[in-house]
């Protein structure tokens, strides 16, 4: 842990004209020589742009470089289509919701339950698409989406039904009339 670790967040573009630019100094958590974690303030304004700098000595001096953070509205995940896939995966799954943004984010990820995370594709403010991976379980799996590669959002309504792979071993009767209408039974 590094004593005196601070992160400064300054609005460089306010969401609403005339709303004034604000700044915060927040204690950071040292993760490694290349990474620091910080909790964002709760009163951010949608559409604002923040400049982030770091200090290792309580704000006596600050990093020369900075990073920008774009503040977007709350994202909601509402449903998935199709509602079911086989354990084999390989099927494109569209995740529908709201607040996915007006332009493609840098890193769309979909997480299928606690199992696999795959890269996704942004389609619109209300839809992203991910190819379901091969899953090791059958049953209900929650699908979560992250537009920044880290902060996943999910919903109890966005559940994918993962079904066992079907196999067909034989059919009876093995022949039917050209006119159709015969009921057949499949075994697997």
């Amino acid at each position: 842990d590094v004593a005196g670790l601070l992160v400064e967040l300054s609005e460089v573009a306010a969401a609403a004209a005339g709303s004034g630019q604000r700044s915060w100094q927040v204690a950071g958590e040292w993760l490694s020589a290349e990474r620091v974690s910080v909790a964002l303030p709760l009163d951010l304004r949608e559409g604002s742009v923040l400049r982030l700098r770091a200090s290792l000595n309580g704000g006596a001096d600050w990093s020369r470089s900075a990073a920008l953070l774009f503040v977007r509205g709350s994202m909601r995940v509402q449903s998935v289509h199709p509602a079911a896939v086989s354990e084999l995966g390989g099927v494109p799954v569209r995740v529908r919701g709201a607040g996915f943004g007006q332009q493609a984010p840098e890193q769309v990820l979909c997480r299928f339950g606690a199992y696999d995370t795959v890269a996704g594709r942004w389609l619109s403010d209300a839809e992203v698409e991910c190819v379901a991976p091969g899953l090791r379980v059958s049953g209900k799996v929650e699908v979560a989406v992250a537009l920044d590669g880290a902060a996943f959002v999910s919903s109890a309504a966005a559940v994918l039904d993962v079904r066992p792979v079907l196999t067909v071993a034989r059919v009876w009767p093995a022949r039917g009339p050209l006119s159709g209408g015969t009921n057949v039974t499949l075994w697997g």
Side-chain angles (χ1 to χ4, degrees), residues 11-26:
E11 286 182 331
V12 293
S19 60
Q21 295 179 338
R22 304 174 296 165
S23 74
W24 302 261
Q25 289 184 2
V26 181

Side-chain angles (χ1 to χ4, degrees), residues 65-79:
S65 58
L68 295 179
L69 174 74
F70 300 90
V71 179
R72 60 173 167 74
S74 297
M75 181 175 75
R76 290 186 316 279
V77 172
Q78 298 169 323
S79 66

